[in-house]
Amino acid sequence: MSDPVQLSLDDGVATITIDRPDRLNALDGATLAAVDDALETAREDARAVVVTGAGEKAFAAGADIERMSEMGVEAAEAYCRQGHAVMNAIETFPAPVIAAVNGYAFGGGCELALACDFRVASERAVIGQTEIDLGIVPGWGGTQRLVRLVGDETARRLVMFGERIDASDAYEAGLVGEVVAHDDLAAHADEMARELAAKPRFAMAAAKEALNQAHEMGQREGLDFERRTWSSLFGTDDQREGMAAFLEDREPDFA
Ligand code: COA
């Protein structure tokens, strides 16, 4: 059987491609495990990551419905835990992750995009939390991350109606940050990743961690976290180089 996920690493940019186009990149257990492995392999060298789907039609058409149709409560709980672990690994990955949404992103595919730092959609993308029509609910973070991203009303519309919305409606809803021509998507996401990869690594990881805490902590606690994060960067190569470059009127060169 061919590998369900491809990983390429080039100059600090990792590209993770879900590669089951005949199943519209549905995320079965083996594919989730392969995403996890790819993140682990990339962890040391990647300074930015792009996640996308193989083929012309889908980013990921969700969790694998054929597999789920045979599950009982115990197997479902294990699949849910596995999905949560992979989405959390993306969310806490120490470099920014961009979802290049190249087509259908339904159910678990939408949740995969939600776990990323940025969502850029092809104008052909169609997105939705469609689980309600399968008799279930989002189970890989959709009930939580979607509310935080688009607000309660829009999240309820998506989850309760199971609506499938196109890229421009997703942009209007704040579900994706940008829509680009389909043929430009890969190059655009790669360009974003390269720009992010050239930024200071420790400061970038710290920024991501602190921004994530805004969803986890109350503001007072979050500000304490910010103070510790901010001051811990002083004395790092990132801080010395960034400030020296400004004072010397040159471009910074972050190692
Ligand atoms: N899990 C497992 N298999 C899936 C799948 C999923 N989530 N989504 C699509 N597939 C399979 C189809 O069963 C089909 O298999 P087959 O060739 O053996 O018949 C193949 O992928 C192609 O899909 P198909 O439905 O024929 O393509 P389409 O272009 O007509 O429709 C979609 C595409 C995405 C609109 C449709 O497949 C769909 O609605 N999928 C389910 C989306 C969903 O609810 N996901 C949430 C899961 S949590």
Side-chain angles (χ1 to χ4, degrees):
M1 220 171 65
S2 60
D3 200 333
V5 166
Q6 308 299 327
L7 168 68
S8 73
L9 251 170
D10 177 41
D11 225 4
V13 173
T15 304
I16 294 175
T17 306
I18 316 293
D19 194 8
R20 290 182 85 203
D22 57 321
R23 311 308 293 167
L24 301 184
N25 303 323
L27 300 160
D28 63 355
T31 308
L32 283 177
V35 173
D36 212 25
D37 286 349
L39 289 167
E40 215 32 61
T41 306
R43 174 173 281 269
E44 206 47 39
D45 296 324
R47 293 177 60 167
V49 180
V50 176
V51 177
T52 195
E56 280 305 300
K57 283 171 89 170
F59 173 69
D64 194 303
I65 300 171
E66 202 180 322
R67 302 278 160 84
M68 286 192 294
S69 70
E70 291 159 0
M71 287 179 186
V73 170
E74 222 169 284
E77 163 124 19
Y79 197 29
C80 182
R81 283 184 191 281
Q82 188 188 13
H84 280 172
V86 174
M87 304 313 154
N88 290 346
I90 291 171
E91 190 173 70
T92 58
F93 193 79
V97 183
I98 301 163
V101 184
N102 57 308
Y104 300 128
F106 296 137
C110 182
E111 289 164 308
L112 176 64
L114 289 173
C116 297
D117 295 273
F118 304 99
R119 283 146 294 280
V120 186
S122 141
E123 59 198 358
R124 285 194 210 157
V126 188
I127 307 179
Q129 292 294 166
T130 52
E131 292 90 343
I132 196 78
D133 292 322
L134 298 169
I136 57 171
V137 300
W140 293 348
T143 63
Q144 306 300 304
R145 292 192 179 98
L146 188 62
V147 173
R148 289 175 175 143
L149 187 65
V150 302
D152 196 74
E153 169 83 12
T154 305
R156 278 169 202 268
R157 282 177 180 270
L158 287 164
V159 171
M160 292 181 177
F161 284 97
E163 214 182 330
R164 300 172 181 220
I165 61 174
D166 66 18
S168 77
D169 285 349
Y171 176 74
E172 285 296 311
L175 180 45
V176 302
E178 209 176 342
V179 181
V180 300
H182 184 74
D183 291 342
D184 295 342
L185 179 67
H188 183 74
D190 189 65
E191 197 180 310
M192 276 176 83
R194 278 173 206 285
E195 187 174 340
L196 290 163
K199 304 244 181 239
R201 179 180 198 140
F202 293 108
M204 185 62 80
K208 177 165 173 169
E209 203 183 355
L211 288 162
N212 284 349
Q213 295 310 322
H215 299 302
E216 303 288 341
M217 295 175 169
Q219 180 161 300
R220 190 159 300 191
E221 213 188 336
L223 288 172
D224 278 345
F225 189 89
E226 182 184 82
R227 175 177 41 73
R228 289 195 301 274
T229 304
W230 189 74
S231 41
S232 73
L233 289 168
F234 283 72
T236 61
D237 290 347
D238 285 354
Q239 179 256 338
R240 287 176 198 270
E241 171 60 12
M243 294 190 187
F246 176 82
L247 295 173
E248 291 159 19
D249 201 17
R250 60 175 174 80
E251 286 297 314
D253 181 11
F254 296 111

